[in-house]
Amino acid sequence: MRRALMLAQRAADDGEVPVGALVVLDDEVIGEGWNRPIASHDPTAHAEIIALRAGAQVQRNYRLSTATLYATLEPCAMCMGAVLNARLARIVFGAWDPKAGACGSVIDLPREPRLTHRLDVFQLSAEHCDALCDIGALCHVHGRRAECPPGTDRIRCLGPEGRRLRQRD
């Protein structure tokens, strides 16, 4: 997640919304990205999409079924669609996105019963984010605390590893 935060800072330095993402397979980063829709004039140039594209190129396969996506912000519906199409095994994110989040904030695509793919979704606990990011750099980058949205009693804390939100069926 530290690398994802560095990528988010790069996006911020470029005047973009500060989001960074990594795709990790077998403990190796195979794709990374930061938000670039403004500079690239591309509404799909979200950090997660860029990281997924890079990872798919490295693997020479659009299916990344054992990979993990690490993102500083809860993915939006577009990015979750790409994650589901790539068949990722899990997502780990830092801060909730109450405006556009698609892992439980606004909509919950990983738990949509009509979709065929299931994946694990984790949100880092605020305490873990604070320790990992030098006392809240993630919260500073995204301008809000990395905590659960109100009324999410379905979340079980797994200690310093974060909060496990969804488990594959």
Side-chain angles (χ1 to χ4, degrees):
M1 190 60 83
R2 283 189 184 130
R3 177 68 183 146
L5 284 165
M6 291 170 50
L7 295 168
Q9 185 59 57
R10 186 166 178 178
D13 293 345
D14 293 344
E16 302 277 2
V17 174
V19 178
L22 304 169
V23 176
V24 176
L25 180 66
D26 299 327
D27 296 323
E28 179 184 341
V29 175
I30 61 168
E32 64 180 30
W34 60 94
N35 269 7
R36 293 185 272 203
I38 298 168
S40 66
H41 310 290
D42 179 0
T44 68
H46 288 198
E48 300 92 335
I49 301 289
I50 293 166
L52 287 168
R53 285 178 180 157
Q57 289 298 312
V58 166
Q59 293 299 301
R60 296 177 164 252
N61 192 338
Y62 76 100
R63 295 282 168 96
L64 303 170
S65 60
T66 59
T68 300
L69 174 74
Y70 293 88
T72 58
L73 187 65
E74 176 186 9
C76 70
M78 175 184 67
C79 294
M80 276 308 304
V83 164
L84 292 167
N85 283 324
R87 306 288 197 260
L88 266 67
R90 73 196 54 78
I91 297 174
V92 179
F93 67 89
W96 290 98
D97 185 355
K99 293 181 180 179
C103 292
S105 288
V106 177
I107 58 174
D108 197 351
L109 288 178
R111 292 186 59 143
E112 173 53 55
R114 294 170 289 184
L115 298 176
T116 58
H117 182 62
R118 300 286 174 260
L119 68 155
D120 294 332
V121 178
F122 296 88
Q123 189 261 339
L124 295 179
S125 67
E127 297 81 23
H128 186 65
C129 284
D130 286 348
L132 181 65
C133 310
D134 297 325
I135 316 205
L138 177 67
C139 304
H140 172 72
V141 167
H142 294 295
R144 58 187 160 275
R145 288 209 34 89
E147 59 189 28
C148 303
T152 54
D153 56 351
R154 67 187 182 275
I155 297 169
R156 296 181 293 125
C157 184
L158 295 180
E161 300 306 314
R163 298 171 190 257
R164 183 180 197 132
L165 304 179
R166 320 279 183 267
Q167 184 172 2
R168 288 183 274 184
D169 294 334

